[in-house]
Each structure stands twice: as C-alpha cells, then as structure tokens.
Amino acid sequence: MKLERTHKIFNPPVRTLMGPGPSDIHPRVSAALAKPVIGHLDPEFSNLMEDIKDLLRYAFQTKNDVTFPVSAPGSMGMEICFANLVEPGDKVIICRNGVFGNRMEENVKRMRGEAVMVDDEWGRAVDPQKLEEALKANPDAKIVAFVHAETSTGASSDGKTLAALAKQYGCLTIVDTVTSLGGSELRVDEWGLSAVYSGSQKCLSAPPGISPVTFSADAIEKIKNRKTPVQSWFGDINLVLSYWTGSGKRSYHHTAPVNAMYSLHEALLMLAEEGIEKAWQRHKDHHLQLKQGLENLGMQFIVPEAERLSQLNAVTIPEDKNEMKIRSGLLQKYNLEIGAGLGPLAGKIWRIGLMGHSCNQKNVTLCTEALADLLQNA
Ligand code: PLP
C-alpha cells in the first residue's frame, strides 16, 4: 500500500492567537515541552505531579486535596465532573446562557440524570433569581451546574452568588471555569464551589489537551457514597486518584502526557510568579484598552458592561462588512487569529480573545490596527 499524500516536516505558521483559545504560549512554556521524556512513574515525575497539584490549588484558590490535571481536554474535565457526581435519576439544574450549557445537558442525559434547564439570553450572565425560582420549584434537585465564563458569548456569571444559592437549597455545584481560570476572579473555596473543571489552553496559556479539575470534600463524599459505579472507567475519580495521590503510593492508571505536563507546570509557575490577582488585573487592563479601540472602529459589545469578560470580547460586525473575508484577511495578511460567532451568533459577531500570554499591549495594538486596515480596505 502506498501513501496517498506527499509528506514533509510540518512547520506551523507563526500566528498571534486572539481567538477563543488556544492562546499563545510563552517561549518558556514551549521550551518545557521539548525537554526529555522521562517515565511517568519516575520519582522525578512524581515530584513534578505534586508541584503541579500545588500550583493548581493556587490557581483555583483552593485547599482541596483532590485537585489535579486530567490527561485530556476541557470537555473530558466536564465529563468527569458529571460522570462522578450524577447518579441515575439525580436531578440537575443547568443554567444555560450559551453553547456550553447545551453540553452540560447532554452530559446529564448520558449519565441518566434528569436535567432541568434554566435559560438565559445568550450574551447575558446567568440570572440568580431564575436559579432561585428553579431551586424552589425542584426541592429534590441535587446539583446546580453553570458556566462561569461563557466562551461562546463573552458573558461572566456571578459564581459566588450562584454557588451560595445552590448551597442554601442543599445542592452541590458543577462549575465550568475553562475560560475563567487565570483570567478573571475565581475563588473556589471562598465561593464554596464543589466540582470545578478548566482547560490548559486559555488563560493558563499552556498547550491544549489538559483539563485541571478540583473537587471539594462534599463532592468527594457524594462520589464515595454512590450506589452505582461511575459509568466512565477513565474518568472514575476513585481510580484516577490512585495515580495522582501522594508520591510513593502511586499506581499505574494511564500514561500521563509527560511533556504536556512539563509545559503545564511551567505555565502555572509563571502564573504564580506574576501573582493570580495581578494576572486578573492584567486581563482587565488590556480589555479596557481593546474595548476603546474596537468601539472607535464602530463595533459594539454584545454583553452589558457589568457582565463582560475581559478575556473574551464579543463584538458586533459593522454592517455591510463581510465577516469571513475580514477574518481570513487578518489571518493571511497579519497572521492574526480571531474567532467567529457560534450557534445563533454565527456570522453576527467576532470573538476576540485576550487570554494569558496573548493578553498584552502589543496584541491590543496589532488587533485594532489590523482591523482598522481591513475594515477600510477589504
Ligand atoms: N467549556 C468552555 C466554556 C469552553 O470554552 C470550552 C472550549 O472552548 C470547553 C468547555 C471545552 O474544552 P476543550 O475544547 O478543551 O475540550
């Protein structure tokens, strides 16, 4: 049998990533990827795993013992939270204000739970009042799930208030922080969040493919008391923990992506060096600069100011402009990636990311100047 295509070494173009993720990675993080592979049960790797857990606890602002990076993308972090916490018949209230709420619903159904959907407009934060009404109407609900930073619209929800309400009505929470971790205020312990998942490729600025998760003691108790086994073998926390708990006691579960873990470690180290609160502030500062530039070009944010994410700027496309032509012009002429709208917002908005290492003054200037050029000349 012959190869069907002609092959050569792959050299990716050097882009500036200002879409909804992945974001640019720092040279220190890419250098970490190229370090020599060692065995995943090597004592040196075990030490690194302990460091990663500690750095993740800092990023999540938690003391949760069960905090580790899942060897798979954010979608698997999501699935692991639902697979472990939802038992057949469990009622889960899902606050949906964008694409990722749909995926939560799909997860609950596949775990044979009952999903109660609480819908908010796309482009708005989750409304705590609607959640409270749903909690009152469903006293048998066990879990509340919501997306802290909705990447499909750029809306930020009030994680603290939503979690407090869930707790008041005796529910645990599953919280999607894929786009918020490292980019906007997130305090897992102070807000009392139960099961939280994220992704490596957004504001942490590590390569895609790893999903940090953290589980509170309450969440672990529910998992330990399950009457039915977790339906996912790979995602069963009881099994994965034998791999991620204290060095010396570790046993084989799967082979971690060793070099991806080096790079995640380096990215988390850089976040700790900067300081988490300073990183949140940097995202805010550059968002305000970008906002000014985009508004000067006639674009409008679809999310009201108080509910806006700094790291995901969703703006309308000026009328009479060809969205696809301008976006591909940015890629071809400026090597600059921005994101298109999803679902009902497809063709109507651009999603401009300012995430992690991509969130800097140089990129704000590049993006506004490149857009000004193409809006005028394309
Ligand atoms: N949740 C949110 C809010 C996201 O933005 C994404 C990815 O963009 C995901 C979940 C899924 O993450 P991944 O693409 O890494 O599987």
Side-chain angles (χ1 to χ4, degrees):
M1 195 180 132
K2 284 186 180 163
L3 289 168
E4 287 184 6
R5 293 162 60 103
T6 313
H7 296 272
K8 55 185 178 0
I9 290 174
F10 179 62
N11 287 310
V14 180
R15 308 272 200 221
T16 300
L17 299 178
M18 295 183 74
S23 56
D24 288 339
I25 63 176
H26 191 278
R28 265 175 67 180
V29 177
S30 34
L33 264 178
K35 288 182 180 172
V37 182
I38 57 173
H40 70 118
L41 297 172
D42 187 309
E44 290 297 330
F45 192 67
S46 295
N47 271 337
L48 182 81
M49 291 167 98
E50 291 307 302
D51 286 347
I52 290 174
K53 289 195 294 181
D54 194 44
L55 287 162
L56 275 181
R57 287 190 192 102
Y58 173 71
F60 276 124
Q61 295 285 287
T62 182
K63 292 198 162 58
N64 284 344
D65 195 31
V66 181
T67 302
F68 65 97
V70 174
S71 305
S75 305
M76 191 62 194
M78 175 189 271
E79 195 155 324
I80 282 181
C81 289
F82 283 94
N84 282 273
L85 280 187
V86 180
E87 284 206 75
D90 278 356
K91 198 181 253 192
V92 183
I93 297 180
I94 299 172
C95 305
R96 172 169 58 186
N97 62 343
V99 164
F100 294 97
N102 289 337
R103 292 192 178 187
M104 288 179 155
E105 180 183 23
E106 196 56 38
N107 267 278
V108 170
K109 284 184 182 162
R110 284 172 192 235
M111 307 307 160
R112 290 184 285 129
E114 188 188 336
V116 176
M117 303 307 291
V118 178
D119 278 303
D120 277 294
E121 206 183 306
W122 283 41
R124 296 301 307 266
V126 170
D127 181 352
Q129 208 176 323
K130 281 195 192 165
L131 171 61
E132 182 153 27
E133 282 159 19
L135 284 161
K136 280 185 184 150
N138 296 277
D140 52 341
K142 300 237 169 80
I143 297 165
V144 168
F146 63 90
V147 179
H148 183 215
E150 207 5 293
T151 328
S152 60
T153 67
S156 168
S157 290
D158 180 350
K160 186 177 180 180
T161 302
L162 298 174
L165 271 173
K167 198 167 201 155
Q168 190 186 325
Y169 288 84
C171 288
L172 296 175
T173 44
I174 296 179
V175 186
D176 180 318
T177 66
V178 171
T179 286
S180 55
L181 183 66
S184 48
E185 185 176 11
L186 169 66
R187 300 182 189 276
V188 167
D189 284 3
E190 200 182 306
W191 298 355
L193 311 181
S194 319
V196 184
Y197 59 90
S198 190
S200 49
Q201 77 275 28
K202 310 253 179 183
C203 299
L204 296 182
S205 272
I210 297 185
S211 177
V213 293
T214 185
F215 291 84
S216 69
D218 297 7
I220 293 297
E221 196 184 314
K222 179 164 183 353
I223 296 167
K224 297 268 181 228
N225 289 322
R226 284 180 67 104
K227 291 180 194 72
T228 52
V230 174
Q231 57 83 11
S232 158
W233 177 86
F234 180 73
D236 185 340
I237 288 290
N238 299 299
L239 306 178
V240 183
L241 280 186
S242 62
Y243 189 56
W244 273 99
T245 45
S247 37
K249 290 181 282 173
R250 289 180 58 218
S251 57
Y252 170 65
H253 175 265
H254 66 281
T255 309
V258 169
N259 296 54
M261 292 297 172
Y262 300 162
S263 65
L264 175 66
H265 173 260
E266 195 68 23
L268 290 168
L269 189 60
M270 291 187 69
L271 180 65
E273 285 167 3
E274 179 178 15
I276 189 86
E277 278 158 1
K278 285 204 178 127
W280 298 338
Q281 190 58 45
R282 172 169 51 84
H283 284 83
K284 178 103 199 164
D285 293 344
H286 292 308
H287 155 74
L288 293 175
Q289 289 164 347
L290 182 68
K291 168 183 176 288
Q292 192 65 56
L294 297 176
E295 286 176 349
N296 289 347
L297 294 172
M299 287 173 238
Q300 281 155 14
F301 279 75
I302 64 161
V303 178
E305 198 159 347
E307 300 170 11
R308 225 172 258 170
L309 286 169
S310 300
Q311 58 273 50
L312 197 290
N313 296 268
V315 286
T316 52
I317 293 150
E319 260 174 49
D320 73 333
K321 296 293 173 193
N322 183 324
E323 133 13 63
M324 185 106 82
K325 195 169 164 209
I326 291 177
R327 206 161 33 84
S328 53
L330 289 174
L331 202 61
Q332 280 155 22
K333 188 168 173 189
Y334 290 95
N335 268 310
L336 172 63
E337 178 184 279
I338 65 168
L342 291 178
L345 295 172
K348 297 190 181 136
I349 61 161
W350 282 318
R351 292 179 302 147
I352 304 179
L354 274 177
M355 298 182 180
H357 185 54
S358 292
C359 177
N360 60 57
Q361 175 66 60
K362 196 168 123 257
N363 283 1
V364 170
T365 308
L366 169 68
C367 183
T368 41
E369 289 182 359
L371 273 171
D373 171 26
L374 291 173
L375 283 170
Q376 205 174 13
N377 303 313

